[in-house]
Amino acid sequence: MELYKYCVCNKLIINLEKCCFMEFSNESKNNDMVVGILGNRFAKVDRCRFLGVILNASLNWSDQIDQVKSQISKSCGTIYRVRRYVPRKILKNIYMVLVQPYLIYCVSLWGASINSTDISKLFVLQKKCIRIVAGKTMKENKIFKHTKPMFHNILTVYNIFKYITAVEAMKILVTKSPNLIFDRFKISERSHRLILPKFNYEHLKVKSFIYNGSKIINYLLNHDIEYYKISLPVFKSRLKKHLILIQSKSATDGDETWLPCNHDLFSNVHIS
């Protein structure tokens, strides 16, 4: 009844057919729980889509990550089927439309929780798409060419997470909204650096948007990308340039193999 009154007061209409509820718990759940309104019972589910993101009852991102892998795999097949009928430039645009949005959307949340195995699988799918776009699907001397040179001005999934996290953190710091998130950032009055929040458990720290955003912003301050002095478009441009620089780093001239530092924002790479 309280829910009904709230909807009436705020002139909201509930689509009863789409309503469901979820019990968040890692322990045994109460199967007798009933939730509904005006005599209509809502279905109890273990996972549901909310604003394009899949949430589950365990409050982890495994279902969302599986969804991203599935969608990119389908998009990769689409790009492969049309590759012979459109120019390479158009193929890149198709990649940006069919693949990039899945890698970007809410990645600052689920990207922090992804394990090394899942992100490696995502990277393999991304490289497969890029190989098709570049027209390098055939082996040369029985081996495929390395994909690093093909990622021209395209961020890998590793660096997409860092880019989106930094941009979203910058927006919050500059606009000071939403208030609930901005208040969790602690800014040093002297240096504009962000004070890293403390956590009792390491696994909670690395999954925190506040921690990751603060750490990346502090790193960028050390590389003359000062969020409080430049506009958002300039910040995004300089950040992407820096990530592309890290991404293209090689051990020796002519070496096209991927290195761990290509995916590590905190490696010793300086903007020239």
Side-chain angles (χ1 to χ4, degrees), residues 30-244:
N30 181 10
N31 295 324
D32 298 327
M33 182 181 294
V34 176
V35 177
I37 185 174
L38 298 178
N40 295 278
R41 290 190 175 186
F42 298 155
K44 184 177 181 180
V45 298
D46 292 323
R47 62 193 292 271
C48 70
R49 185 185 297 274
F50 180 71
L51 298 178
V53 177
I54 299 179
L55 307 176
N56 61 29
S58 299
L59 282 180
N60 60 50
W61 297 104
S62 58
D63 291 297
Q64 170 65 18
I65 294 167
D66 289 341
Q67 174 74 2
V68 172
K69 289 189 291 186
S70 175
Q71 292 296 336
I72 293 178
S73 181
K74 293 177 183 177
S75 298
C76 187
T78 301
I79 296 173
Y80 185 81
R81 287 191 293 271
V82 304
R83 75 193 188 284
R84 295 179 179 175
Y85 307 104
V86 296
R88 193 169 300 168
K89 183 178 180 181
I90 302 301
L91 273 181
K92 182 178 178 181
N93 292 339
I94 294 174
Y95 167 86
M96 289 299 182
V97 171
L98 295 184
V99 177
Q100 193 85 340
Y102 291 107
L103 295 175
I104 289 176
Y105 189 65
C106 290
V107 68
S108 56
L109 297 177
W110 60 263
S113 300
I114 194 169
N115 57 47
S116 58
T117 301
D118 282 330
I119 198 168
S120 295
K121 290 179 180 178
L122 271 179
F123 187 41
V124 168
L125 287 171
Q126 187 186 25
K127 288 191 292 183
K128 186 177 180 181
C129 292
I130 294 297
R131 194 183 297 280
I132 297 170
V133 171
K136 304 294 184 181
T137 57
M138 303 298 292
K139 291 183 178 180
E140 296 183 8
N141 298 323
K142 297 183 179 181
I143 59 173
F144 285 113
K145 294 199 69 174
H146 291 294
T147 54
K148 183 189 285 190
M150 305 175 197
F151 274 78
H152 178 65
N153 209 35
I154 297 177
L155 294 175
T156 65
V157 61
Y158 298 93
N159 289 324
I160 285 175
F161 164 71
K162 299 176 181 67
Y163 176 82
I164 297 297
T165 301
V167 169
E168 291 183 352
M170 192 269 196
K171 289 179 181 178
I172 293 169
L173 292 169
V174 172
T175 63
K176 299 182 179 181
S177 65
N179 293 333
L180 289 176
I181 301 180
F182 174 74
D183 290 342
R184 296 190 61 189
F185 283 103
K186 305 301 180 183
I187 307 174
S188 171
E189 296 181 358
R190 294 183 178 180
S191 62
H192 294 280
R193 294 179 63 84
L194 303 180
I195 301 172
L196 298 181
K198 296 181 179 180
F199 292 85
N200 293 329
Y201 301 99
E202 182 70 19
H203 73 279
L204 295 178
K205 179 175 71 175
V206 298
K207 294 178 181 180
S208 166
F209 168 73
I210 305 299
Y211 176 83
N212 290 318
S214 299
K215 187 176 180 181
I216 296 172
I217 290 293
N218 286 344
Y219 167 86
L220 296 176
L221 286 173
N222 293 336
H223 291 77
D224 298 324
I225 304 178
E226 299 167 316
Y227 70 92
Y228 59 92
K229 286 185 178 180
I230 57 180
S231 65
L232 179 60
V234 173
F235 178 85
K236 292 167 71 173
S237 175
R238 295 180 65 182
L239 171 59
K240 184 174 181 180
K241 178 183 177 181
H242 187 70
L243 289 171
I244 292 294

